[in-house]
Amino acid sequence: MHLRRCLECGHIGCCDSSPNKHATKHFHATAHPVIQSFEPGEDWRWCYPDNLMG
């Protein structure tokens, strides 16, 4: 399991490899579009509407 942080509100959720996919569920519930990895040493972001990593 890997953690993701919502850049709009700071919510921490688990990744899509986890059974509950909390980060994606948070996007669907709130429409907050961008998350970033909350894992040490990782520095990337994901935009759900555009399906783009940055």
Side-chain angles (χ1 to χ4, degrees), residues 1-4 15 36-45 53-54:
M1 178 176 69
H2 298 280
L3 298 177
R4 311 295 182 232
C15 68
Q36 76 178 108
S37 175
F38 198 64
E39 296 297 314
E42 292 186 4
D43 185 29
W44 57 265
R45 290 158 181 78
M53 184 179 279

Side-chain angles (χ1 to χ4, degrees), residues 2-53:
H2 298 280
L3 298 177
R4 311 295 182 232
R5 182 173 69 96
C6 174
L7 291 183
E8 190 157 329
C9 71
H11 173 84
I12 304 294
C14 50
C15 68
D16 283 355
S17 296
S18 72
N20 292 311
K21 304 176 183 178
H22 288 116
T24 297
K25 285 182 179 179
H26 176 73
F27 163 66
H28 289 296
T30 64
H32 294 168
V34 182
I35 60 168
Q36 76 178 108
S37 175
F38 198 64
E39 296 297 314
E42 292 186 4
D43 185 29
W44 57 265
R45 290 158 181 78
W46 177 259
C47 177
Y48 282 104
D50 297 329
N51 289 319
L52 291 174
M53 184 179 279

